Amino acid sequence: ALDDEPGQDSPRFLAAGALFGLGFYADISFRLALIALPLLAVYSVAVAWFRQQGPAPVRLPFATLLRGPLLMLLSAALVVTPLLSFYLEQPALFERGFEIHGGWPAGVGWNYLLTLWMLLWSGPSDWAINLPGRLLLDPLIAIWFISGALIALRHPLRPLHGLALLWFMVFALGPALLNPNDSGLLLAATPAIFAFPVIAMQRAWSFGVRHHKRALQPLLAISIAVSLIGGAAWSLYDYFENWSRAPATYVAFNGDVRDALAAIERLPYEDAPAYFSVNGTERIVRYLAPEHPRRDFSNPDVLPVPAAGRAYLIYPQSAPPATILLTYLAPDELVETGRGPDGEPAFH
């Protein structure tokens, strides 16, 4: 919308505001739109004003310059209106994701750098969301990202450049304020993250065309194609070969808990109670097996023992009782040991 002449971009501003409003429903990080929308409105007016000061200015009333940004704010407010009653009834739920314990962190600037580090060099170490140590962008796209960000910083008043910079700075506040290692908080910044590589590719291609370097254009086309295809291939290989098949991923997604719950149905004695070690996996256990005949316990320092008769103790690899307590169980008392994808014990 910022690339159009002022006064002719109302439908696009309306659409942009509506999409911001829908973001409130999609992900908690989109609630930073409360900061982004006013900033983008001010930026769009500033860009239009600077255009009027150019060599061929187009004089427009100030009300015309404000029309697009105001329409954007209005459409976002209308889309968010259905949330208003829910917010009034349960404000704590709505605000829960943005509780900043101890006030505004002094190291928010450093956290911005940690967020960039996660994108461009070394990603989160949590197996549930990432291959530990792998940067979130593949290396080829990361190079284009850095180039595009530098180009945007050099020309911040060009609409696409300024929009990408503002978008990234605002929506990277999520990890910067809450947790710089949580890549999920960068979801709302995704458009800007991929805008920077596009800016760099566009600039490289324009350079070849503008300087009539015909020999250079095929090389540029090949480099861009290799970056996109190679980056996709790199990511797919890391996902399907290195991450999804890893034993640590199996445990991170509670595969051992799922298999241990399924094993309850194979126990030979139906009259014997089954004690199940949850130890931090209570929610997934209740979700996967709400009606399984078992008795859950969450304290790893307690070994449940029946008052009389036989009983079963089932514990996944990710939720075992304390090691010293397991010494009271003889190896011949094991009814079954389930194996994970790597062949190692997943549960006992």
Side-chain angles (χ1 to χ4, degrees):
L2 295 174
D3 284 326
D4 293 337
E5 290 298 326
Q8 298 178 358
D9 49 13
S10 298
R12 295 187 182 182
F13 273 110
L14 282 169
L19 289 174
F20 269 115
L22 289 173
F24 277 69
Y25 298 94
D27 187 81
I28 194 168
S29 58
F30 274 95
R31 293 175 191 171
L32 287 166
L34 293 171
I35 300 173
L37 280 171
L39 281 178
L40 292 174
V42 171
Y43 175 77
S44 63
V45 173
V47 167
W49 183 84
F50 276 107
R51 283 178 174 177
Q52 289 191 352
Q53 312 307 312
V58 178
R59 301 298 178 187
L60 291 173
F62 194 68
T64 304
L65 298 180
L66 283 175
R67 185 172 67 187
L70 288 176
L71 285 173
M72 179 172 65
L73 293 171
L74 177 62
S75 62
L78 290 174
V79 172
V80 174
T81 298
L83 273 183
L84 184 60
S85 61
F86 175 78
Y87 173 71
L88 293 175
E89 293 174 2
Q90 306 183 57
L93 276 177
F94 192 84
E95 298 168 353
R96 182 174 55 188
F98 282 89
E99 294 175 355
I100 304 173
H101 300 287
W104 188 276
V108 65
W110 175 250
N111 287 348
Y112 261 110
L113 294 178
L114 291 179
T115 301
L116 286 172
W117 179 268
M118 177 174 63
L119 272 173
L120 304 173
W121 189 255
S122 180
S125 58
D126 185 356
W127 280 92
I129 58 177
N130 189 52
L131 187 65
R134 187 196 189 280
L135 63 165
L136 295 184
L137 294 175
D138 65 84
L140 298 174
I141 298 297
I143 295 172
W144 287 108
F145 177 96
I146 295 171
S147 303
L150 292 175
I151 293 169
L153 286 169
R154 185 181 177 187
H155 303 286
L157 289 179
R158 292 182 181 178
L160 178 59
H161 298 180
L163 177 64
L165 289 170
L166 279 174
W167 193 299
F168 182 80
M169 289 178 62
V170 170
F171 288 111
L173 267 177
L177 290 175
L178 302 173
N179 182 4
N181 290 316
D182 188 348
S183 57
L185 293 172
L186 277 175
L187 178 63
T190 302
I193 290 172
F194 287 102
F196 290 129
V198 171
I199 290 171
M201 293 175 185
Q202 184 184 48
R203 175 59 64 87
W205 184 257
S206 298
F207 175 82
V209 172
R210 186 170 59 251
H211 291 81
H212 304 287
K213 298 185 180 296
R214 294 184 177 180
L216 186 60
Q217 290 179 21
L219 293 177
L220 288 171
I222 291 172
S223 66
I224 292 173
V226 168
S227 299
L228 296 174
I229 298 172
W234 196 321
S235 296
L236 289 172
Y237 178 80
D238 272 347
Y239 179 84
F240 287 106
E241 291 295 327
N242 296 331
W243 181 74
S244 63
R245 297 185 178 184
T249 307
Y250 168 79
V251 175
F253 280 90
N254 300 121
D256 56 336
V257 177
R258 177 203 62 193
D259 293 341
L261 289 170
I264 295 178
E265 299 178 351
R266 301 194 297 268
L267 296 176
Y269 300 105
E270 297 181 356
D271 58 333
Y275 296 99
F276 193 91
S277 174
V278 290
N279 192 10
T281 63
E282 293 89 341
R283 295 179 64 185
I284 190 69
V285 167
R286 288 197 299 268
Y287 173 76
L288 290 176
E291 298 179 356
H292 269 191
R294 66 178 193 284
R295 301 174 187 180
D296 299 338
F297 68 100
S298 58
N299 190 343
D301 296 322
V302 173
L303 188 65
V305 177
R310 62 168 64 93
Y312 294 109
L313 170 66
I314 304 172
Y315 59 92
Q317 176 187 340
S318 58
T323 304
I324 192 170
L325 294 179
L326 296 179
T327 59
Y328 291 93
L329 302 175
D332 57 357
E333 292 180 310
L334 284 175
V335 176
E336 181 179 2
T337 297
R339 303 286 173 178
D342 58 343
E344 293 298 316
F347 64 88
H348 295 289

